[in-house]
């Protein structure tokens, strides 16, 4: 690739690294067959560290205007590359020193807007999980005032952020729904359990196993990082109606004795 490659050059380089045997493995792993959640997705056969190396070499000076071409690619790994470039750019603007910097706030909002505009291109669980906590999740707890008010002295309201996340949670698109749940990994890491608890409740009766896993995973992280008592409070209220997969994931950090206790709670008839 050239020193400052275009999206086309990045794609051409990644295509040149294609690995047929690894491609077949990934297509099976990410369920790309008829009727499966990743149906029709196409892979080059690159491993994630290979894609990260591409990102590392181009992200600093890669124009934001070139990212959509990566996100619109037929290739899974190229879309991941585009998403990770957005992550790298966002994280650079989200340091403590730049949290309240007006130019950084505007640039973070621009990245988030682009990310959400192409959210449906993050159409498998890895694409969501590797990008949404570090962009949307971090944004939720950062100043981002120009989204809510023309007055730069007024921070974005909590209501606006909740409405934005609710729109993803209630979207008909599975991957947007997963975004609303998995983005709370970052808010939990930063010490705020409220986002996890809210969206775990919203998705409690979701029909898809991928969301059961996401709900349980985020609850487990919330309990581990913030408060096991908060997790226990949630389980006391909801264990009887939780999908068993979600419950198993949520209690993984507990003792064997306590895990057995929660798993023996009967599922209410309406939730079987």
């Amino acid at each position: 690739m050239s020193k400052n490659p275009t999206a086309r050059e990045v794609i051409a380089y990644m295509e040149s690294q294609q690995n047929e045997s690894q491609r077949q493995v990934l297509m099976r792993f990410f369920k790309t067959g008829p009727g499966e959640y990743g149906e029709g997705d196409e892979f080059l056969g690159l491993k994630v560290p290979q894609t990260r190396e591409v990102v590392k070499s181009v992200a600093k000076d890669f124009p934001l205007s070139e990212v959509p071409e990566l996100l619109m690619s037929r290739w899974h790994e190229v879309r991941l590359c585009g998403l990770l470039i957005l992550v790298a750019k966002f994280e650079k603007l989200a340091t403590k020193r730049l949290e309240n910097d007006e130019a950084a706030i505007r640039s973070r909002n621009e990245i988030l807007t682009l990310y959400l505009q192409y959210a449906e291109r993050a159409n498998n669980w890895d694409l969501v999980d590797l990008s949404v906590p570090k962009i949307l999740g971090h944004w939720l707890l950062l100043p981002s005032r120009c989204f809510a008010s023309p007055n730069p002295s007024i921070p974005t309201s909590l209501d606006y952020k909740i409405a934005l996340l609710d729109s993803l949670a209630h979207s008909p698109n599975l991957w947007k729904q997963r975004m609303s749940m998995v983005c709370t990994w970052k808010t939990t890491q930063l010490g705020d359990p409220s986002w996890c608890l809210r969206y775990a409740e919203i998705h409690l009766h979701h029909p898809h196993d991928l969301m059961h896993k996401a709900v349980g995973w985020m609850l487990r992280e919330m309990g581990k990082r913030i408060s096991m008592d908060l997790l226990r409070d949630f389980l006391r209220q909801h264990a009887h109606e939780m999908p068993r997969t979600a419950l198993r994931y949520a209690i993984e950090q507990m003792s064997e004795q306590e895990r057995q206790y929660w798993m023996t709670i009967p599922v209410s008839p309406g939730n079987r």
Side-chain angles (χ1 to χ4, degrees), residues 1-271:
M1 289 188 292
S2 64
K3 185 176 180 181
N4 296 303
T6 64
R8 288 187 179 184
E9 288 178 287
V10 170
I11 294 169
Y13 173 78
M14 295 182 75
E15 287 177 337
S16 74
Q17 305 299 303
Q18 187 167 350
N19 181 315
E20 180 60 27
S21 61
Q22 180 68 11
R23 187 178 80 85
Q24 295 297 330
V25 170
L26 292 173
M27 288 175 66
R28 290 192 296 272
F29 183 74
F30 286 105
K31 308 296 184 184
T32 63
E36 295 181 310
Y37 59 74
E39 180 177 356
D41 202 356
E42 297 186 72
F43 287 79
L44 289 167
L46 276 64
K47 295 182 178 180
V48 172
Q50 291 177 275
T51 301
R52 288 194 182 278
E53 279 300 312
V54 175
V55 173
K56 183 179 178 181
S57 68
V58 305
K60 181 180 177 182
D61 299 312
F62 197 78
L64 206 57
S65 60
E66 288 281 305
V67 173
E69 188 168 349
L70 300 179
L71 299 180
M72 291 303 297
S73 173
R74 61 187 279 203
W75 302 117
H76 184 104
E77 296 93 335
V78 174
R79 298 196 303 281
L80 176 59
C81 180
L83 292 167
L84 292 180
I85 287 173
L86 293 181
V87 168
K89 289 183 176 295
F90 191 94
E91 288 189 316
K92 187 177 179 181
L93 295 161
T95 62
K96 285 288 184 184
R97 182 176 65 86
L98 293 175
E99 276 188 5
N100 293 286
D101 181 85
E102 293 300 325
I105 290 171
R106 289 192 297 271
S107 294
R108 291 196 302 259
N109 288 342
E110 185 180 2
I111 292 168
L112 178 69
T113 298
L114 182 62
Y115 181 77
L116 294 176
Q117 183 180 351
Y118 288 91
E120 292 186 14
R121 302 302 295 164
N123 58 347
N124 214 312
W125 58 264
D126 64 316
L127 301 179
V128 171
D129 298 357
L130 290 173
S131 62
V132 77
K134 294 180 179 180
I135 299 176
L136 177 56
H138 201 171
W139 176 85
L140 291 172
L141 298 184
L142 287 169
S144 39
R145 37 191 164 268
C146 65
F147 262 94
S149 169
N151 184 341
S153 68
I154 301 175
T156 301
S157 70
L158 181 61
D159 287 344
Y160 179 88
K161 292 185 174 184
I162 290 173
L164 189 154
L165 220 55
D166 280 358
S167 71
L168 294 174
H170 297 295
S171 163
N173 182 277
L174 172 64
W175 308 114
K176 289 184 177 181
Q177 294 164 7
R178 188 174 173 95
M179 284 180 176
S180 70
M181 190 70 246
V182 177
C183 77
T184 70
W185 193 4
K186 188 67 174 184
T187 55
T188 287
Q189 288 174 339
L190 295 175
D192 186 342
S194 63
W195 299 93
C196 174
L197 295 170
R198 175 181 177 82
Y199 292 95
E201 283 196 341
I202 287 175
H203 292 303
L204 204 59
H205 301 291
H206 197 287
H208 204 292
D209 184 63
L210 281 176
M211 289 301 296
H212 301 168
K213 292 175 179 177
V215 168
W217 171 28
M218 292 300 104
L219 285 170
R220 180 189 72 213
E221 290 301 306
M222 188 277 298
K224 180 174 71 174
R225 292 175 179 272
I226 297 180
S227 170
M228 292 298 287
D229 286 337
L230 269 181
L231 174 56
R232 292 184 181 102
D233 287 345
F234 184 94
L235 295 178
R236 277 190 282 271
Q237 186 176 357
H238 295 295
H240 68 282
E241 58 180 338
M242 290 177 70
R244 297 297 90 174
T245 298
L247 182 56
R248 280 195 297 272
Y249 272 58
I251 62 179
E252 280 181 348
Q253 294 293 315
M254 296 178 177
S255 68
E256 174 65 23
Q257 182 179 5
E258 188 171 7
R259 291 200 305 272
Q260 289 180 4
Y261 165 75
W262 291 112
M263 291 302 297
T264 57
I265 292 177
V267 180
S268 59
N271 296 291

